Amino acid sequence: MNLSTKQRHTIEGLYRSLDVEDHDTAVSVIVKTRGETCDIDCLYCYEKRKEAPGGARVSAAQIKQLATVFKGRKLALELHGGEPLTAGREHIAEILTELARLPQVVRVSLQTNGVLLDEQWLDLFDELCPGLSIGISLDGDARGSAWRVGYDGKPVYPRVARSLRLLGERGRSVGVIAAVTPAVLDRAEEVLEHLAGFGSVNAISFVPCFDVTIRRSTALPGRRRSASRQLQKAALDASGGPAWAIHPDEYAQFVLAATAHWISAGHFARIKLEPAVSTIRRLRGLMTPFCHFSDLKCDHVFTLYPDGRLGSCDELPWPQARLTQLESTGDEHEVVHAQQDSLLLNQGKALMDKCAMCDYRTTCGGGCIATRWRQGPLDGHDAYCDYRMRMIDGVAALLAQPAHPQGAWCQSLRWRPRTPNSMRDVHAFQARWDSPGPVHDRVRLRTSEHGNINTVGLAGIHEADDLHPAHPLWRAAIESGVWPLVDTLTRTWGLVTYDSCEGHPYTETDRPPTGLRVGLLPRDRQEYARTAGALCRATTSATAAMPPGIEVHVSRSDLTCETTGTTTPVLDLSLDPAPGHSWEDYFARRDEATAVLTAALDAERPNSTTCTCPLPAPQAQAKPVEVFP
């Protein structure tokens, strides 16, 4: 085995500042083509809350000036709104023509409500920008999209569905951004199936309405209140925030239900689902362009308004997010200077300070600063971080045991990767375990003065020979303090252990103490699911009898094969000091805790995937949501 303790990093790995010398990293620019102007009046629209002057249009000349400011920098531009198509075909044609002249523009996308899309618009896109990526805003089915209305208060879903069908007929693929509101909660499978039913849809992004802090209606330019604004006022009169708002816990449950169905129904072969795909990529140690999971956050996302305001991400509060005026900005250096002086951006980075010490940091990526701000702590508790961890734990379970999605609802098993966590040849080790042959290799067993057994006899994490129960030196290779657990898990439960340690105080040294742990290597996904369920049941039982100051944890992780480079899902069982208790207390009661845990394991068997955590209510029993009072 080749293992190490947890590694700590700074916020630099979570939030990358804009570097004028970095010419390879693109920045995203959200072009508010018509500012807040839109031909529909969605009740939860955050753009209209900014009360920005509407009616003007971003010009092709401004696009050219934008490229001059970011000269030498790759640009990804998104025509956004309000509704960009209200600028008219001739004006959009001018912008697309200008974009085609700019070699630094590597991606052009359009986010639209889809109401105005028709054959003429698609002909224009095919002629001037064949590679245009189109996104449609639609909250699932007709029921889920009830918050998306015209100024007359009537739903726009039928017109958007017509556009999606037209896009399919034209052979175009589009992404859908769907807001998660109470109108879709408990209906993840139904909503996902509905959107997947449009042949044009190849990507779906479920975004949360964490709007509990919204307390007033969107301001009106005149005295006349449209039917849509009357509906909005009624929704805001709901207790506990707007009637369209949801809690982070509800969003996590929705995402997990959608992801489980996305996997089981095979939609992953055609449709990219967010935030599932980005979570999976980070779980696999891969990067993602989704800023909620990467270090390219607010300093690499800009918003341009028709009046020349250039600011950071459009989801951040305005006018605080404003950086400069486009026409008076000479180059990227001035933009960077404005970012460094921005109180809002510096406060946003400060929100992520605690991420630097979080076990989930390398997978979560710190999340979205704008969403953190909008959500805010509830009763002093960070519900945003809780939902991120819950989502990661659940998706990790779905990857490890896709045939048993109920594992996604287990809250006892957490994602806690150990880096590095590797073995020379995982397949060969498993084969020797189940079919041991003659012993030929020379085993190196050395014991340190602190009780560590490894190949060199030194304290700390060092290589250890990988043995199996049939090996004559099997017992001698296991440290005494952890032997009761290893013996029960291998002999009684019949499992494969890939690592074990009794824990060491390392007194009178600079080395930090380590706790007791056992690593389990399931043979296949079915055994993984059964083992995970049994560990949840056993540790839940053991927790009630644990001595003070010690907690039992079960973690999901991956084991890397050094020979093939592949990873295998594993489970780690550990005894750890409880918050507020010292290592001295821990080691004084470790053997007692080990005996309690061993007895709990001995009373269980890995013969069922059922765990002690409650499953969500069946969708068939979900109550209809009244969208409007």
Side-chain angles (χ1 to χ4, degrees):
M1 281 306 304
N2 185 12
L3 300 159
S4 79
T5 55
K6 298 174 183 175
Q7 297 180 3
R8 300 300 189 186
H9 305 263
T10 67
I11 194 175
E12 289 300 321
L14 296 169
Y15 190 116
R16 194 191 313 179
S17 298
L18 188 65
D19 181 0
V20 293
E21 303 300 329
D22 177 13
H23 302 297
D24 295 326
T25 303
V27 295
S28 298
V29 182
I30 302 165
V31 180
K32 295 293 184 179
T33 320
R34 288 295 307 281
E36 67 167 10
T37 302
C38 188
D39 52 346
I40 66 175
D41 198 27
C42 303
L43 306 193
Y44 52 58
C45 179
Y46 67 83
E47 187 61 44
K48 291 182 180 180
R49 293 181 207 146
K50 299 174 185 175
E51 303 172 16
R57 300 180 293 188
V58 171
S59 68
Q62 287 176 306
I63 297 294
K64 185 176 181 180
Q65 174 63 23
L66 183 72
T68 300
V69 169
F70 289 102
K71 184 178 181 180
R73 168 82 65 175
K74 296 176 183 178
L75 296 175
L77 268 69
E78 180 176 14
L79 305 183
H80 206 278
E83 172 51 47
L85 298 188
T86 60
R89 269 187 276 273
E90 182 178 345
H91 191 80
I92 294 297
E94 292 176 2
I95 289 178
L96 293 178
T97 300
E98 182 61 39
L99 289 172
R101 297 191 183 110
L102 301 172
Q104 72 196 89
V105 175
V106 295
R107 174 182 166 86
V108 180
S109 58
L110 169 79
Q111 187 64 37
T112 172
N113 59 39
V115 170
L116 295 177
L117 269 183
D118 56 19
E119 296 278 6
Q120 289 72 36
W121 274 113
L122 295 179
D123 289 341
L124 176 70
F125 299 153
D126 288 344
E127 176 187 356
L128 298 179
C129 192
L132 179 70
S133 175
I134 299 177
I136 300 289
S137 299
L138 185 67
D139 303 341
D141 55 11
R143 177 179 164 192
S145 300
W147 300 108
R148 304 186 63 80
V149 299
Y151 288 92
D152 58 3
K154 296 180 180 179
V156 299
Y157 171 85
R159 288 183 280 173
V160 183
R162 179 196 62 205
S163 294
L164 284 173
R165 288 190 288 270
L166 173 61
L167 287 160
E169 293 167 4
R170 294 285 295 254
R172 274 208 175 249
S173 295
V174 297
V176 170
I177 294 181
V180 179
T181 69
V184 300
L185 292 180
D186 300 315
R187 300 194 304 119
E189 293 184 10
E190 181 181 344
V191 170
L192 182 60
E193 279 299 325
H194 183 83
L195 291 174
F198 293 102
S200 56
V201 174
N202 71 348
I204 301 170
S205 179
F206 287 118
V207 298
C209 272
F210 293 158
D211 286 348
V212 294
T213 58
I214 303 302
R215 289 290 184 270
R216 62 188 183 93
S217 302
T218 304
L220 294 168
R223 294 183 178 180
R224 183 176 177 273
R225 186 181 296 275
S226 65
S228 56
R229 296 301 170 90
Q230 292 175 19
L231 290 172
Q232 187 193 61
K233 185 178 186 305
L236 278 165
D237 286 342
S239 60
W244 64 75
I246 63 169
H247 189 276
D249 284 345
E250 295 173 316
Y251 178 62
Q253 181 164 311
F254 180 90
V255 169
L256 291 177
T259 304
H261 185 68
W262 175 68
I263 293 172
S264 63
H267 292 314
F268 61 85
R270 179 174 72 89
I271 295 174
K272 177 184 178 183
L273 182 69
E274 290 291 6
V277 169
S278 289
T279 304
I280 291 170
R281 289 187 63 85
R282 292 309 301 258
L283 285 167
R284 292 286 179 257
L286 304 172
M287 296 306 296
T288 170
F290 192 4
C291 60
H292 293 201
F293 291 84
S294 81
D295 60 349
L296 298 179
K297 297 191 186 298
C298 306
D299 279 18
H300 288 76
V301 181
F302 297 90
T303 305
L304 174 63
Y305 280 92
D307 60 1
R309 285 174 297 151
L310 183 65
S312 191
C313 173
D314 66 333
E315 291 197 42
L316 287 168
W318 283 69
Q320 300 97 312
R322 179 185 174 277
L323 295 172
T324 67
Q325 282 295 123
L326 180 66
E327 63 273 12
S328 61
T329 304
D331 57 24
E332 191 174 327
H333 288 84
E334 294 182 32
V335 175
V336 171
H337 182 73
Q339 287 179 332
Q340 293 171 345
D341 287 346
S342 169
L343 176 62
L344 183 74
L345 291 182
N346 286 320
Q347 288 175 333
K349 293 176 185 178
L351 288 176
M352 299 178 62
D353 282 347
K354 67 177 183 178
C355 297
M357 299 299 290
C358 178
D359 290 336
Y360 289 81
R361 62 175 309 284
T362 57
T363 309
C364 169
C368 171
I369 289 176
T371 309
R372 281 174 177 267
W373 240 308
R374 193 160 56 247
Q375 169 62 35
L378 301 179
D379 299 325
H381 186 69
D382 196 334
Y384 181 79
C385 289
D386 285 350
Y387 116 69
R388 299 281 292 183
M389 292 186 283
R390 181 73 196 90
M391 181 177 67
I392 290 168
D393 291 340
V395 173
L398 291 171
L399 287 179
Q401 51 183 88
H404 302 280
Q406 64 267 31
W409 310 111
C410 178
Q411 299 187 46
S412 296
L413 277 68
R414 312 296 297 271
W415 173 253
R416 289 189 176 91
R418 297 158 65 183
T419 306
N421 192 28
S422 66
M423 176 178 283
R424 185 173 294 108
D425 192 328
V426 174
H427 179 73
F429 173 69
Q430 288 180 313
R432 287 197 307 271
W433 188 285
D434 290 326
S435 300
V439 177
H440 298 297
D441 297 335
R442 185 174 70 88
V443 175
R444 298 157 297 173
L445 295 181
R446 304 285 188 274
T447 304
S448 78
E449 61 178 318
H450 298 279
N452 310 83
I453 300 177
N454 49 49
T455 60
V456 293
L458 296 176
I461 305 299
H462 295 281
E463 184 181 4
D465 287 327
D466 302 314
L467 305 184
H468 51 79
H471 195 285
L473 294 178
W474 164 247
R475 174 62 187 88
I478 308 297
E479 295 171 5
S480 297
V482 75
W483 169 252
L485 289 177
V486 173
D487 185 47
T488 299
L489 290 167
T490 56
R491 183 172 52 82
T492 306
W493 282 31
L495 300 179
V496 178
T497 58
Y498 74 92
D499 171 51
S500 66
C501 177
E502 67 180 10
H504 305 283
Y506 297 128
T507 54
E508 299 181 0
T509 73
D510 295 332
R511 192 179 298 278
T514 59
L516 180 147
R517 67 172 185 270
V518 180
L520 298 170
L521 175 61
R523 295 173 176 84
D524 51 42
R525 287 174 170 173
Q526 289 70 34
E527 184 176 89
Y528 182 102
R530 294 193 302 270
T531 303
L535 287 174
C536 177
R537 299 192 301 270
T539 54
T540 299
S541 172
T543 295
M546 275 286 142
I550 297 183
E551 295 181 339
V552 55
H553 296 129
V554 185
S555 308
R556 302 183 193 272
S557 186
D558 283 333
L559 177 66
T560 300
C561 178
E562 297 168 2
T563 301
T564 65
T566 58
T567 59
T568 302
V570 293
L571 295 163
D572 294 323
L573 181 64
S574 66
L575 292 174
D576 303 293
H581 290 265
S582 68
W583 280 104
E584 184 178 1
D585 292 339
Y586 172 85
F587 284 107
R589 300 186 178 98
R590 180 199 57 187
D591 291 345
E592 180 187 350
T594 302
V596 169
L597 182 54
T598 301
L601 292 171
D602 194 52
E604 283 288 350
R605 294 294 183 275
N607 51 18
S608 168
T609 61
T610 303
C611 76
T612 59
C613 302
L615 296 175
Q619 292 188 17
Q621 299 177 9
K623 297 180 180 180
V625 175
E626 293 294 335
V627 176
F628 303 126

